[in-house]
Amino acid sequence: MNIKLSFNDKNFATREAVVVGVYTKNVELKGKGKDKSKKKTELVFHHWPKDMTEAFHKVKTSKNFKGGQGDSCEFNLPSGATIVALGLGDKEKFTTEILRRETASIFKQFKKRCEELAFDLDTLLIHNMEQTISICAEAIWLADYSFETHVSKKAENTLKSTVFMSSQTKAKEKKIELLLKNTQVLCESINLARDWVNEPPNILNSEEYAKRIEQDAKNIPGVKVKVLGKEELKKENMGMFLAVNAGSAYKPQLVHLTYSPKKATKHVAFVGKGLTFDTGGYCLKPSTSIANMKFDMAGSATVYAAFRTLALARVPVKITCVLGITDNAINAMAIKPDSIVTARNGKTVEILNTDAEGRLVLGDCLDYVCDLEPDAIIDAATLTGACLVALGSEICGLMGNNQKLMDKLLSSAKACDEYMWQLPIIPEFHKDMKSPIADLKNIGSKGYGGTSKAAAFLEAFVKKNIPWAHLDIAGVADNQSHLPYTPKHGASGLIVRTLVNYVENV
Ligand code: BES
Ligand code: MN
Ligand code: ZN
């Protein structure tokens, strides 16, 4: 979707359709007796031209428009232009997330209704023009996504372009154009990640996935890609990663990407879980839980999308991105419960549940990136169903070994309006992950606290002096139907924005 900027422009009459924000405010009505402090909600027409406010009030149905979030009221100017009064609720309570959601909703409503939709930014302003533009653009480009790769008849939309108009002068145009360009790269990266997560497992197997990443990364200036296959993983002594891949028809693939700008003084490493399908292995998932396990590679797609965005934006930070890619399948060679394997760091692990496979792949990948001595490691994984039990499907779980790093991630999540909540790793959880017959076991003894215990397991593969944070995206990676800028079903693309914000401010 094309977004055009039009500054010094308040010329609604010549447009086809313009979205214009309307707020509400509570006013006290001074009455007598019982009615002493009656409250009334009034509409606030902030930055509306006078003649347009008059046109609005002339429309008889406009009296039913309350201006609440999600309300809208359409009317026409004598020129034929459609004005969409978009309710944004109480002006005092207006937030960036309200703007993002409302922009996405109204955009989707008009995709089949006009050819050009304009947004009057003066009436939608939050904080400043830059932020308003990047939020509205984000909302539009993210809401515009649909996964249609495998449908023969693609949806037909009439909408060709959107226009951001503002009465502001052109003074900051160059800066704003760059901002818009970066937002576009971010949204394209998120949509690419969504495509990969949505792709079915018979098509996106480990080898195909690694190929697509390599192909995409080739087009990012200054990025190096290395793919380690089965033989290389053997040489690396990645016994846990190889154990998960043992029952697969496809090679394991460790994709190692490096973006190393000259000016960099800091080095951040991303690690992502890339299970192209998780059957559970011999601890086979029942049919209700196996469904949709193609999404078990969302962690890898998430960190790759952040890496891609940052590298294309030439952010002056060195970034390593390591993706552990395989499926968890069953054949005669597949790893059996009770097996003991040796991890890359030398620790022995009793695999009591073949469905707790993500931590095995990630553990070896974490040890591998520790050798590169980054200043911080952040991993993302659809690691535990328990995360949905603990936090619900709308919140990303955060754990780690360094409070400073976790606080930074929490504030990045807040700045991006993404939900993230920290869970503790206590010494008892580490103890629970010890095996009587090996150094570790891959599941806890008691059924509770599964998300933190998985993190406790991962921590055993991180060098103590390296700050590390673990993001459990099992809930947020798909089906975020409450968000108008994510598809109702399938990959959400959430958490990419938080990771990008973190590195931009590192
Ligand atoms: N990929 C799953 C986690 C998952 C489950 C994500 C459901 C989203 C929804 C992971 O590999 C897994 O199977 N975890 C097990 C761990 C258990 C065996 C300790 C789980 O959560 O049931
Ligand atoms: Mn599993
Ligand atoms: Zn899994």
Side-chain angles (χ1 to χ4, degrees):
M1 180 59 55
N2 189 6
I3 298 180
K4 284 185 261 178
L5 295 170
S6 184
F7 292 99
N8 217 345
D9 182 359
K10 217 46 179 175
N11 200 355
F12 299 130
T14 58
R15 296 282 171 197
E16 185 184 347
V18 192
V19 175
V20 187
V22 182
Y23 302 86
T24 62
K25 79 169 175 214
N26 287 327
V27 283
E28 304 253 339
L29 286 177
K30 292 234 164 66
K32 280 186 183 152
K34 265 208 317 220
D35 296 339
K36 221 173 184 173
S37 63
K38 237 186 170 177
K39 271 191 188 153
K40 201 180 123 195
T41 307
E42 269 182 9
L43 296 177
V44 181
F45 298 90
H46 197 60
H47 282 296
W48 278 53
K50 197 163 160 264
D51 55 338
M52 209 167 77
T53 320
E54 284 165 8
F56 170 85
H57 286 298
K58 266 194 204 142
V59 178
K60 292 212 163 62
T61 54
S62 75
K63 63 178 180 299
N64 300 318
F65 174 68
K66 298 281 180 275
Q69 286 163 38
D71 295 347
S72 63
C73 172
E74 285 171 41
F75 61 98
N76 291 318
L77 299 180
S79 67
T82 301
I83 303 297
V84 186
L86 178 65
L88 298 169
D90 192 337
K91 181 119 180 55
E92 309 271 294
K93 295 180 185 154
F94 188 48
T95 62
T96 47
E97 181 63 3
I98 294 172
L99 177 62
R100 194 180 283 107
R101 292 188 190 192
E102 293 300 314
T103 304
S105 300
I106 206 79
F107 167 79
K108 287 199 287 189
Q109 286 172 41
F110 277 81
K111 268 174 93 169
K112 285 189 168 63
R113 290 193 50 195
C114 55
E115 285 186 16
E116 186 199 89
L117 183 64
F119 289 81
D120 176 49
L121 298 183
D122 298 351
T123 58
L124 300 167
L125 199 78
I126 184 95
H127 305 319
N128 55 51
M129 194 47 78
E130 281 88 343
Q131 192 156 21
T132 307
I133 287 177
S134 59
I135 286 174
C136 290
E138 217 172 80
I140 288 170
W141 280 322
L142 293 180
D144 198 26
Y145 175 84
S146 60
F147 183 58
E148 294 189 307
T149 313
H150 305 287
V151 286
S152 313
K153 203 172 178 305
K154 321 268 188 238
E156 277 171 34
N157 299 313
T158 52
L159 195 61
K160 299 279 180 302
S161 66
T162 49
V163 181
F164 288 176
M165 28 189 313
S166 161
S167 61
Q168 279 200 6
T169 53
K170 298 186 179 193
K172 289 183 185 165
E173 206 166 13
K174 277 271 153 327
K175 198 178 156 201
I176 285 178
E177 265 164 21
L178 179 68
L179 180 84
L180 201 58
K181 185 86 212 114
N182 284 341
T183 306
Q184 188 170 17
V185 169
L186 168 70
C187 295
E188 278 168 6
S189 303
I190 291 175
N191 289 337
L192 177 66
R194 287 168 166 179
D195 266 347
W196 286 345
V197 174
N198 287 328
E199 197 72 302
N202 59 322
I203 295 173
L204 198 88
N205 57 57
S206 58
E207 294 160 31
E208 171 67 19
Y209 186 25
K211 260 190 222 144
R212 288 196 194 183
I213 297 165
E214 208 177 351
Q215 198 55 43
D216 183 73
K218 265 190 198 150
N219 298 321
I220 314 174
V223 166
K224 287 203 193 93
V225 199
K226 194 160 79 176
V227 181
L228 281 61
K230 199 166 192 155
E231 291 315 309
E232 288 90 350
L233 296 194
K234 279 183 191 160
K235 277 189 205 126
E236 289 283 345
N237 300 312
M238 292 195 165
M240 294 198 294
F241 194 157
L242 288 163
V244 175
N245 179 255
S248 175
Y250 308 100
K251 292 188 196 90
Q253 306 271 269
L254 185 151
V255 180
H256 179 169
L257 302 130
T258 314
Y259 163 67
S260 193
K262 282 199 185 75
K263 294 162 282 180
T265 54
K266 293 235 169 74
H267 178 194
V268 175
F270 289 143
V271 176
K273 172 177 173 180
L275 266 284
T276 55
F277 197 83
D278 180 12
T279 68
Y282 274 107
C283 304
L284 187 64
K285 285 182 186 291
S287 56
T288 47
S289 357
I290 204 168
N292 202 37
M293 275 302 147
K294 66 174 184 180
F295 102 124
D296 214 15
M297 34 63 74
S300 60
T302 303
V303 293
Y304 179 72
F307 173 85
R308 182 187 194 273
T309 306
L310 292 157
L312 284 170
R314 315 291 317 148
V315 171
V317 178
K318 177 175 176 181
I319 313 168
T320 293
C321 187
V322 168
L323 314 173
I325 299 172
T326 177
D327 57 352
N328 183 20
I330 315 170
N331 64 14
M333 302 300 289
I335 199 87
K336 290 151 197 85
D338 289 346
S339 299
I340 294 178
V341 298
T342 304
R344 185 179 185 274
N345 72 350
K347 287 187 180 160
T348 55
V349 177
E350 190 185 11
I351 299 178
L352 289 177
N353 191 319
T354 59
D355 197 13
E357 85 298 338
R359 62 198 74 184
L360 301 173
V361 173
L362 282 180
D364 275 343
C365 290
L366 286 167
D367 182 60
Y368 176 89
V369 296
C370 281
D371 286 1
L372 309 171
E373 297 180 335
D375 299 303
I377 303 174
I378 302 168
D379 79 69
T382 48
L383 205 64
T384 65
C387 191
L388 286 91
V389 179
L391 297 175
S393 59
E394 298 89 348
I395 305 177
C396 172
L398 166 69
M399 288 137 279
N401 67 0
N402 183 293
Q403 195 56 45
K404 252 197 190 144
L405 172 60
M406 289 189 284
D407 285 343
K408 278 193 184 167
L409 281 164
L410 287 170
S411 60
S412 286
K414 207 170 180 109
C416 298
D417 298 315
E418 296 195 303
Y419 295 124
M420 188 176 283
W421 198 259
Q422 187 180 336
L423 296 170
I425 307 175
I426 58 175
E428 284 79 355
F429 294 166
H430 282 293
K431 210 169 148 200
D432 198 27
M433 299 311 290
K434 287 196 163 44
S435 157
I437 61 167
D439 299 334
L440 292 165
K441 58 186 178 3
N442 78 330
I443 53 167
S445 304
K446 287 169 269 160
Y448 303 124
T451 304
S452 289
K453 284 177 189 172
F457 180 89
L458 293 180
E459 194 176 351
F461 302 92
V462 179
K463 300 239 156 59
K464 286 217 158 40
N465 59 334
I466 304 182
W468 156 76
H470 160 59
L471 300 172
D472 196 329
I473 61 165
V476 297
D478 71 347
N479 301 342
Q480 299 294 292
S481 54
H482 58 291
L483 300 175
Y485 51 86
T486 67
K488 275 215 154 35
H489 303 286
S492 69
L494 292 190
I495 306 302
V496 176
R497 290 186 291 124
T498 295
L499 291 174
V500 169
N501 180 286
Y502 164 79
V503 176
E504 280 173 349
N505 296 295
V506 77

